[in-house]
Amino acid sequence: MPRCCTPCRLPVTLILLLLYLCYLLLGATVFWALESEAEQNLNLNFQHEKWELLRNHTCMDNQTLEKFIMYIVDTYKKGLILLGNDTNPETWNFPGSFFFSVTAITTIGYGNLSPSTVGGRVFCVFFALFGIPLNLILLKRIGERMLSLVQRYAAFLGRKVGRQKSVKFISSLCALVTGLLLFFLLPPILFRGMEGWTYEEGFYYSFITLSTIGFGDYVIGRVPGKKYPEWYRNLVSLWILFGMAWLALVITLCTNLLENSRDFCLCCKKKEGEKVDQELIDITLNGHAPSPLTEAEDSESTSSKTESLESDRKCGE
């Protein structure tokens, strides 16, 4: 007889991760092509305007100063680093474009950088329109895989030790501590070395980023004149992806814990236990469990007997 071939199961999470990575690479390539030249021209125009202003206005009046300040604000909003005389900015190079793609579809949106060309803005709309659902699906899958690994490890140790509840609690606690270390406690050390932030500022940036609040007051790769390694932003992008999945998993577990908090209330459990014991006693004494219909019929019978006795008493009088 021919052997039955077992169906090959495709790793869905791995396929989604590869699709997600390809989507980010596509977005980074398009943003790099559309925005890098515009950034270069904007930087040259700003340097030219700055030196023209300093050359022609050694003593600026209020109107000229306000005009220059508005120009600086508008240029900064477009993501340009204003300090120094660097005419080769790196905001919209390929690593910078890749990082912007990550912040766009994860809905972090720091606000310090946005497309300045019409083509870049139109592409950003469609890129986020399809990228945000893909990001949510991938985060859900990664969170489920993380939870599944923790549960399998806890079940394996529980069978070895023989204490399922204790092992499950310890495994969940270890997973929580490991996530805190990888996504909140260790990254500030990297940010302190690369960005010059304090540990508290790095921790603040970690939470604001992974929670997708994204104020934009602290953003990586913005120190003027500093050359960042190419792996730095790519590593931060992976940290954002897995950190958001872990934080979403923790928030879900906390939400379920709050919703099911009644199950952990000792008073409620005690009352439910007393009710069950009373029902068991009634069943033992009566031979069957009282039903609402039987109780209603007993009540009607009692009331009818009372009315009959009352009528007999009146007739006797």
Side-chain angles (χ1 to χ4, degrees):
M1 293 179 63
R3 270 202 266 176
C4 181
C5 297
T6 58
C8 180
R9 295 184 60 185
L10 296 177
V12 180
T13 305
L14 181 60
I15 293 176
L16 280 175
L17 187 60
L18 292 176
L19 179 62
Y20 185 83
L21 181 61
C22 292
Y23 193 79
L24 288 176
L25 291 175
L26 172 65
T29 303
V30 175
F31 283 123
W32 179 33
L34 294 175
E35 298 294 330
S36 59
E37 184 177 357
E39 180 193 17
Q40 184 74 22
N41 294 333
L42 181 64
N43 186 57
L44 291 174
N45 291 335
F46 177 77
Q47 297 294 340
H48 176 74
E49 291 289 337
K50 182 177 70 173
W51 289 113
E52 282 293 324
L53 182 66
L54 294 176
R55 186 183 304 112
N56 299 328
H57 299 83
T58 55
C59 183
M60 290 184 289
D61 55 6
N62 290 336
Q63 184 178 2
T64 305
L65 181 60
E66 290 178 359
K67 182 179 178 180
F68 185 62
I69 291 174
M70 292 299 298
Y71 187 72
I72 291 176
V73 171
D74 183 63
T75 307
Y76 180 78
K77 286 182 178 179
K78 294 179 181 179
L80 193 67
I81 299 176
L82 304 176
L83 300 179
N85 299 323
D86 188 11
T87 58
N88 187 25
E90 297 181 352
T91 302
W92 286 107
N93 58 5
F94 189 80
S97 301
F98 184 85
F99 186 73
F100 173 79
S101 301
V102 173
T103 59
I105 65 176
T106 54
T107 68
I108 295 175
Y110 290 114
N112 69 310
L113 183 62
S114 60
S116 59
T117 63
V118 176
R121 291 168 180 170
V122 172
F123 176 75
C124 186
V125 170
F126 290 98
F127 179 73
L129 181 64
F130 295 99
I132 292 175
L134 177 61
N135 177 72
L136 294 176
I137 294 172
L138 182 62
L139 289 181
K140 183 176 181 295
R141 293 288 304 184
I142 292 177
E144 290 175 351
R145 295 298 298 172
M146 289 180 177
L147 182 60
S148 177
L149 289 175
V150 174
Q151 291 176 345
R152 288 181 182 179
Y153 182 72
F156 174 76
L157 287 183
R159 288 192 299 267
K160 293 291 184 181
V161 178
R163 296 183 178 180
Q164 290 285 351
K165 292 184 178 180
S166 300
V167 171
K168 184 178 180 180
F169 174 76
I170 295 174
S171 300
S172 301
L173 184 61
C174 291
L176 179 63
V177 173
T178 303
L180 285 174
L181 284 173
L182 292 178
F183 302 120
F184 283 101
L185 300 180
L186 293 180
I189 300 176
L190 175 65
F191 298 141
R192 183 172 60 181
M194 299 299 296
E195 305 291 340
W197 299 339
T198 63
Y199 186 86
E200 291 78 11
E201 291 172 337
F203 183 84
Y204 168 78
Y205 168 78
S206 300
F207 179 78
I208 294 300
T209 297
L210 296 185
S211 60
T212 68
I213 297 174
F215 288 128
D217 48 353
Y218 288 91
V219 184
I220 65 166
R222 305 295 294 174
V223 178
K226 184 172 183 177
K227 298 295 182 181
Y228 292 91
E230 295 183 358
W231 55 264
Y232 177 54
R233 287 183 176 177
N234 297 331
L235 179 64
V236 173
S237 300
L238 291 176
W239 166 74
I240 289 175
L241 175 62
F242 287 95
M244 286 180 60
W246 176 83
L247 188 60
L249 177 62
V250 172
I251 293 174
T252 302
L253 292 176
C254 292
T255 303
N256 293 336
L257 182 63
L258 292 175
E259 290 178 350
N260 301 325
S261 59
R262 185 175 180 275
D263 297 337
F264 299 96
C265 180
L266 297 178
C267 297
C268 296
K269 287 187 175 182
K270 184 177 179 181
K271 291 180 180 179
E272 291 176 357
E274 291 174 355
K275 183 178 179 181
V276 171
D277 292 340
Q278 185 62 37
E279 290 178 357
L280 291 175
I281 292 173
D282 293 339
I283 293 173
T284 305
L285 294 177
N286 301 329
H288 60 86
S291 62
L293 181 60
T294 305
E295 292 176 359
E297 291 174 354
D298 292 342
S299 177
E300 291 178 358
S301 177
T302 303
S303 61
S304 63
K305 288 180 181 179
T306 304
E307 292 176 357
S308 177
L309 292 173
E310 185 69 22
S311 61
D312 293 342
R313 188 178 62 80
K314 288 181 178 179
C315 291
E317 291 176 352

